[in-house]
Amino acid sequence: MRWLGTSFKMTKTRAEAAAYAARLREAVGDGLEGVCPFVIPSATAIATVTDALGGRDSPVLVGAQNTHWADEGAWTGEISVPQAADAGARIIEIGHSERRAHFGESDATVRLKTRAVLRHGLAPLVCVGESEETRAAGGGTDAVLAQAAAALDGLQNPTDVLIAYEPVWAIGEHGRAPRPEEIAPVLAELSDLPVKGVLYGGSVSEGNAAELLRLPGVDGLFVGRAAWDAEAYVRLLATVARHARAVA
Ligand code: PGA
């Protein structure tokens, strides 16, 4: 299976998210052979996007950008896995570097959240990635493997977990697209993990998507900015579908 996902991060109103999802629904139809598309809107739009895609059985999975590990309780401002699932989420992003940097996400909370997501039968998408400084000091691969190991530690079913390798230096407006040789060694190590799939994320664009998909160990792409326009997502999806056919 090849994956193409986007997180809207903190963008889009419900109306904007619904229009985007409607375009995806039209483009994906009954599904694309060997490709699993997913969209992760803000929590406010999870239900809206689910509806605009035609419901929970859509071939496009809907996700949440974060979750709490408890099912309910006095955790002001948080949402739980059952709440996200109730809104239509089938996949939950955990440990994005922006959450690690700004909201105190740690390997310990990533582990708790991964377990909570699996407990409810949803797919955790665990983000891992090294900082520029760690890479420069030669510890990039080890740091990434340690993050992944912390998330998977003691799990009965690691094969239900998706990993997104997202080097911190490659993400967002101030990030730079990686050269294949910079990320290939990390991807090769991650591909040895007994997980459902490894996605690459960080400055993915229409220009580099095909090349990134060809890297050994890459099962898909997790895209931010370059997929926030629905037509751009549809073009990226065509690239992923072509790749899926080529490797079938
Ligand atoms: P970007 O974001 O594609 O805009 O670099 C990727 C991410 O944060 O997952």
Side-chain angles (χ1 to χ4, degrees):
M1 179 61 70
R2 301 291 139 166
W3 304 81
L4 175 67
T6 185
S7 159
F8 292 163
K9 304 194 182 184
M10 198 172 71
T11 73
K12 297 195 192 299
T13 62
R14 284 179 302 149
E16 288 164 350
Y20 184 107
R23 175 67 185 102
L24 247 58
R25 183 181 184 185
E26 173 190 83
V28 172
D30 293 333
L32 300 167
E33 187 78 33
V35 182
C36 184
F38 66 89
V39 181
I40 309 188
S42 296
T44 49
I46 296 172
T48 309
V49 167
T50 301
D51 290 346
L53 287 167
R56 289 155 195 273
D57 297 329
S58 166
V60 182
L61 303 183
V62 180
Q65 296 177 16
N66 182 31
T67 184
H68 196 274
W69 54 85
D71 289 359
E72 60 178 19
W75 299 100
T76 299
E78 295 290 301
I79 62 168
S80 68
V81 180
Q83 288 176 314
D86 177 55
R90 288 187 279 167
I91 182 167
I92 298 198
E93 183 180 355
I94 300 169
H96 189 278
S97 67
E98 289 153 14
R99 296 211 59 85
R100 292 182 192 254
H102 306 302
F103 301 101
E105 190 83 278
S106 66
D107 283 349
T109 57
V110 166
R111 183 163 180 271
L112 287 168
K113 291 176 182 193
T114 304
R115 287 169 173 259
V117 173
L118 290 172
R119 190 164 71 236
H120 290 284
L122 278 68
L125 172 65
V126 176
C127 303
V128 295
E130 82 286 6
S131 67
E132 183 86 77
E133 299 72 41
T134 304
R135 165 170 288 256
T141 304
D142 286 350
V144 171
L145 291 177
Q147 287 175 345
L152 301 176
D153 181 38
L155 289 184
Q156 305 279 315
N157 40 359
T159 49
D160 292 336
V161 176
L162 286 166
I163 298 276
Y165 170 45
E166 304 207 302
V168 178
W169 47 269
I171 289 177
E173 240 176 283
H174 305 293
R176 75 173 169 83
R179 293 189 303 277
E181 66 272 19
E182 291 179 294
I183 54 173
V186 183
L187 289 163
E189 294 278 352
L190 289 173
S191 70
D192 286 340
L193 297 174
V195 293
K196 196 201 278 281
V198 176
L199 283 60
Y200 171 78
S203 290
V204 174
S205 68
E206 292 179 52
N208 64 14
E211 182 182 40
L212 290 166
L213 284 165
R214 282 195 297 269
L215 285 175
V218 172
D219 300 303
L221 302 173
F222 189 33
V223 191
R225 294 155 297 152
W228 289 347
D229 170 73
E231 297 307 327
Y233 187 104
V234 169
R235 288 192 296 272
L236 283 164
L237 195 55
T239 300
V240 176
R242 251 193 320 276
H243 177 75
R245 281 196 300 275
V247 297

